[in-house]
Amino acid sequence: MGVKDYIRARFFPHIWCPGCGHGIVLNSLLTAIEKLGLSKNDIVFVSGIGCSSRISGYVDFHTLHTIHGRAVAFATGVKMSRPGLNIIVPMGDGDALAIGGNHFIHAARRNLDLTAIVMNNRIYGMTGGQFSPLSGYGVKATTAPYYNIDHGFDIAELSVAAGATFVARSTTYHVKQLTNIFCKAILHKGFSVVEVLSQCPTYFGRKNNAGSAVDMMEFYKNNTIPKGSKAKDENPDLIERGIFVQKKLPEYCEEYDKIIKIAKNRS
Amino acid sequence: MKGKIKFVQGNEACVEAAMYAGLDFFAGYPITPSTEIAEHLSYRLPQQGGKFLQMEDEIASMCAIIGASLTGHKVMTATSGPGFSLMQEALGYAVMAEIPAVIVNVQRGGPSTGNPTHVSQGDVNQARWGTHGDHAIITLTASSHQDLFGITVDAFNMAETYRTPVILLLDEVIGHMREKLVVPEDGEIPLVKRLRTSLKEGVDYHPYFPREDGRIPMSDFGGVHRYNVTGLYHDMWGFPSDNPRLVHDLIRHLVDKIQNDRHVITRCNKYHLDDARTILIAYGSAARSAHHVVETSRREGQRVGLLELKTLWPFPHGLVREKCAKARTIIVVEMNMGQVLAGVKQAVDNPESVFLANRIDGVLIKPVDITGIMRIIQGRGV
Ligand code: SF4
């Protein structure tokens, strides 16, 4: 099957701007799913609100387009009530970590078997370019006309600290690595986080003189390094790519099954 | 009615009824005075293979039960005022996406943190209007554990029938009071099964295409039909749309499916109404005091009756109007500033004949509070 077999053609054309990184993420995700040979009926996409969250409508799986920031909470209900399903939760950076920050860290702590994808464009795209918790210090946005004084999160560090058992980062430039990471994240039993640096030329790019979509992708090429690379020692501003954590811990649904066994024996 | 006799709290009666109705997924966050519902379910659900989740907050709880309902489970959450406020956005989502769910709000005094361990009935209007946008909602309540059992099962049945969230609005006295409950035998109260599509795999299934009778067959998420669910206005495929005709038709559908069935949804208890000159209208624990007043007044030869509402929304205007047609005086008994009072005034021909007997201090309204007001109205002094 080609990637085309996984999309809902009737939902197209998509709403993304020319040059938006989200299309690359979609392509990469579908390639990963195809590679893994998963059955379409076993996949659920749960998204929140924002440009990135529209991704769920475009794919031919069970899709749940929810409310802002709560995709992980909806996904928790789907997964716990039907543990056999593969749940993929694509979110924007504001969606996942501003309004949705609480759900994000708690799902990580529980180690529920979800694949959380944070499409990080460092801006609120759909509402027109306000700063997000990932914009970072010094960035310009429609709500930071001088410059942004909020510091950003490091999604990878935050996820590790919150207890996620698989944490990785890549970019829309490094598509092969990204696809590879998606495969591993989906197969991982437990809460997996994949941060994807994804360009928004329309708002982040224009406000911050980052150039065209191609320029922004070149920035990813030139300013990211494989995890553990020595170059980071000389230039701490470089962003690491790759898998940060991949470990085994008891998964939440499986743990709950043990509770059911105990409860049934006692009753 | 024969069955198991228990001596329980109202919150526990609610749990028993939910289990009877087939509840198998609960997500919640502890909050007084609803906490016992979560506590009991954390014990009871896994015994039956069901799931209990303690979420990080009420927002997540409401979202999680929506997700679980979509996979075909009977779901519930329980909370109190502040938690209910937090749930409102996701509640609206369940209205829009037509997801069956039961939400219990054991009220506390508000606004804000208010009066956590005392009785109040301040959330009547919030139940109706809490979420944004035009919508219909069903809100049920009860004043005794036996009624609470029945109305909880009704709540699940209505949620499945109308594909909608149903709110069970209790109060602290009912939640915490202990009294006798007879748990009915299996099958004694009929249960409504979710209407599922009969379409086979591969046939184009329209998740939002109503049958002739207006009901919309569902397909379990994770089953053979892959479709989109969204909180945006959507067509019969669940595809987002802002087409004016479609937006208009969808909002009409959401409102009409409940409004048109008001006669089926309306539940009440009637005491001595036929010849009553003075009618008390009450619900929840306030109805117990009102009932006491009616019984004692009758013994004194006064023609007093009680209309106890068990359906608060859609507001039973027709019922109230009909029952109050011959009464001289109508006294609404409630523990708020007059939230049901407004509905009653709207319903009757003569709004000047409608009075309020209320307490808003976190103390249960007593029979003597009601008789005091009756005396003033009747010109008999205090
Ligand atoms: S606004 Fe930005 S994030 Fe949104 S679609 Fe356009 S480019 Fe993509």
Side-chain angles (χ1 to χ4, degrees):
Chain A
M1 276 202 274
V3 158
K4 266 197 182 158
D5 295 314
Y6 292 95
I7 60 169
R8 288 179 177 142
R10 59 182 306 275
F11 274 52
F12 280 73
H14 60 66
I15 61 150
W16 296 320
C17 309
C20 175
H22 296 344
I24 301 174
V25 179
L26 171 60
N27 189 39
S28 179
L29 244 178
L30 292 181
T31 309
I33 287 167
E34 190 197 8
K35 265 192 176 174
L36 295 173
L38 303 175
S39 155
K40 286 193 201 178
N41 283 347
D42 292 338
I43 299 174
V44 183
F45 267 49
V46 187
S47 63
I49 296 295
C51 297
S52 55
S53 287
R54 288 298 184 97
I55 200 169
S56 58
Y58 304 136
V59 293
D60 185 20
F61 309 121
H62 305 281
T63 57
L64 187 52
H65 177 236
T66 69
I67 54 181
H68 193 38
R70 320 295 172 199
V72 169
F74 279 82
T76 301
V78 177
K79 181 69 184 179
M80 277 299 282
S81 61
R82 202 144 172 174
L85 297 169
N86 284 302
I87 319 271
I88 298 171
V89 193
M91 296 170 281
D93 44 317
D95 197 35
L97 292 160
I99 181 166
N102 199 29
H103 311 306
F104 186 86
I105 57 174
H106 284 279
R109 172 178 65 80
R110 290 186 193 106
N111 197 32
L112 186 67
D113 185 19
L114 306 175
T115 306
I117 297 168
V118 186
M119 295 146 86
N120 180 7
N121 56 18
R122 304 175 65 190
I123 203 86
Y124 286 109
M126 194 163 259
T127 38
Q130 301 78 21
F131 70 86
S132 91
L134 276 304
S135 291
Y137 185 88
V139 159
K140 285 197 174 153
T142 54
T143 45
Y146 308 107
Y147 65 87
N148 184 27
I149 56 168
D150 281 31
H151 297 284
F153 282 126
D154 182 319
I155 298 180
E157 279 180 16
L158 177 80
S159 308
V160 174
T165 47
F166 182 98
V167 179
R169 176 191 292 140
S170 191
T171 84
T172 50
Y173 179 86
H174 304 88
V175 180
K176 285 223 168 102
Q177 180 189 40
L178 185 60
T179 309
N180 198 356
I181 285 176
F182 280 150
C183 285
K184 288 187 175 146
I186 293 168
L187 288 179
H188 177 78
K189 197 130 195 79
F191 192 75
S192 16
V193 179
V194 182
E195 177 189 2
V196 191
L197 303 183
S198 172
Q199 71 278 10
C200 170
T202 304
Y203 289 111
F204 187 89
R206 221 167 46 194
K207 277 269 165 204
N208 291 287
N209 298 324
S212 67
V214 175
D215 296 330
M216 293 177 80
M217 288 171 74
E218 276 192 341
F219 176 88
Y220 295 149
K221 176 187 166 200
N222 298 328
N223 291 279
T224 63
I225 43 161
K227 165 113 188 54
S229 156
K230 288 221 173 70
K232 178 97 178 161
D233 298 337
E234 281 144 45
N235 182 2
D237 287 344
L238 291 174
I239 304 164
E240 289 182 301
R241 280 182 287 111
I243 297 172
F244 291 73
V245 163
Q246 188 171 14
K247 64 179 179 193
K248 264 196 150 171
L249 270 186
E251 193 275 329
Y252 199 72
C253 293
E254 291 179 357
E255 288 300 297
Y256 199 87
D257 283 343
K258 292 185 198 162
I259 298 288
I260 291 178
K261 273 206 191 102
I262 296 169
K264 281 190 169 165
N265 280 340
R266 285 209 197 144
S267 64
Chain B
M1 190 188 278
K2 58 179 174 45
K4 249 188 306 170
I5 297 177
K6 292 186 166 227
F7 184 69
V8 290
Q9 270 193 343
N11 283 341
E12 219 175 325
C14 179
V15 165
E16 288 302 324
M19 297 295 290
Y20 184 96
L23 172 78
D24 57 2
F25 191 97
F26 177 95
Y29 188 82
I31 179 168
T32 306
S34 75
T35 317
E36 293 84 4
I37 295 178
E39 286 174 347
H40 286 295
L41 282 169
S42 71
Y43 181 74
R44 298 274 275 117
L45 273 172
Q47 292 178 335
Q48 317 280 341
K51 306 274 165 74
F52 165 89
L53 259 83
Q54 182 166 313
M55 298 299 287
E56 54 274 18
D57 58 30
E58 289 87 348
I59 300 174
S61 307
M62 187 64 213
C63 297
I65 64 165
I66 293 173
S69 180
L70 261 171
T71 70
H73 293 263
K74 283 200 176 171
V75 303
M76 180 169 101
T77 185
T79 188
S80 184
F84 192 53
S85 296
L86 287 177
M87 286 176 183
Q88 293 300 332
E89 186 194 8
L91 184 74
Y93 183 92
V95 169
M96 181 62 122
E98 303 190 64
I99 317 277
V102 174
I103 299 100
V104 188
N105 174 2
V106 189
Q107 298 162 93
R108 55 157 74 190
S112 191
T113 315
N115 215 346
T117 53
H118 291 79
V119 72
S120 163
Q121 297 178 322
D123 302 350
V124 174
N125 281 338
Q126 190 197 18
R128 174 64 188 91
W129 302 109
T131 202
H132 60 280
D134 288 307
H135 66 284
I137 199 88
I138 299 173
T139 303
L140 307 172
T141 186
S143 68
S144 72
H145 292 6
Q146 207 59 52
D147 272 1
L148 173 54
F149 192 99
I151 209 84
T152 303
V153 177
D154 280 344
F156 280 92
N157 285 348
M158 289 183 195
E160 296 295 343
T161 305
Y162 301 106
R163 281 191 65 169
T164 186
V166 174
I167 296 159
L168 204 50
L169 199 61
L170 308 179
D171 60 58
E172 190 271 341
V173 167
I174 298 303
H176 282 159
M177 173 180 74
R178 286 180 185 273
E179 68 178 356
K180 180 177 141 187
L181 170 73
V182 186
V183 178
E185 301 278 333
D186 283 346
E188 220 176 301
I189 310 181
L191 302 180
V192 174
K193 264 208 187 140
R194 182 170 299 188
L195 181 66
R196 289 185 167 87
T197 178
S198 55
L199 291 177
K200 298 272 165 312
E201 180 164 13
V203 182
D204 194 10
Y205 161 68
H206 303 142
Y208 290 99
F209 187 62
R211 293 194 318 191
E212 261 173 33
D213 62 1
R215 290 189 70 185
I216 304 181
M218 295 184 82
S219 172
D220 292 350
F221 244 51
V224 297
H225 303 290
R226 298 180 301 274
Y227 59 97
N228 189 50
V229 179
T230 178
L232 290 164
Y233 280 97
H234 48 269
D235 63 15
M236 63 182 177
W237 280 278
F239 181 77
S241 170
D242 52 12
N243 174 304
R245 174 87 229 172
L246 186 145
V247 170
H248 172 272
D249 286 356
L250 178 51
I251 193 88
R252 275 244 74 104
H253 159 73
L254 294 178
V255 171
D256 288 351
K257 70 176 178 181
I258 290 169
Q259 291 296 339
N260 292 347
D261 256 18
R262 260 183 299 187
H263 56 290
V264 187
I265 294 166
T266 297
R267 306 262 191 287
C268 67
N269 289 332
K270 292 168 251 180
Y271 303 95
H272 304 294
L273 284 180
D274 292 338
D275 66 340
R277 291 282 185 85
T278 300
I279 291 181
L280 305 182
I281 297 181
Y283 53 96
S285 57
R288 296 178 79 102
S289 296
H291 187 236
H292 185 84
V293 169
V294 169
E295 293 303 332
T296 45
S297 306
R298 281 277 160 183
R299 260 179 256 134
E300 289 163 11
Q302 289 195 56
R303 284 154 71 179
V304 182
L306 166 65
L307 174 61
E308 180 193 339
L309 304 179
K310 294 203 274 182
T311 300
L312 297 180
W313 302 109
F315 193 78
H317 288 104
L319 172 84
V320 170
R321 189 186 144 91
E322 183 201 321
K323 294 298 162 199
C324 296
K326 286 192 234 128
R328 273 204 208 138
T329 309
I330 299 138
I331 302 174
V332 180
V333 184
E334 52 185 341
M335 288 174 282
N336 55 45
M337 292 292 285
Q339 299 194 11
V340 158
L341 177 85
V344 172
K345 284 199 173 211
Q346 233 177 39
V348 298
D349 289 331
N350 197 2
E352 300 82 53
S353 63
V354 183
F355 300 87
L356 176 66
N358 70 344
R359 268 192 98 129
I360 47 166
D361 55 358
V363 178
L364 178 71
I365 189 160
K366 296 189 188 78
V368 61
D369 300 322
I370 303 167
T371 45
I373 293 202
M374 277 169 70
R375 292 174 73 87
I376 295 171
I377 294 166
Q378 290 160 349
R380 292 191 284 144
V382 268

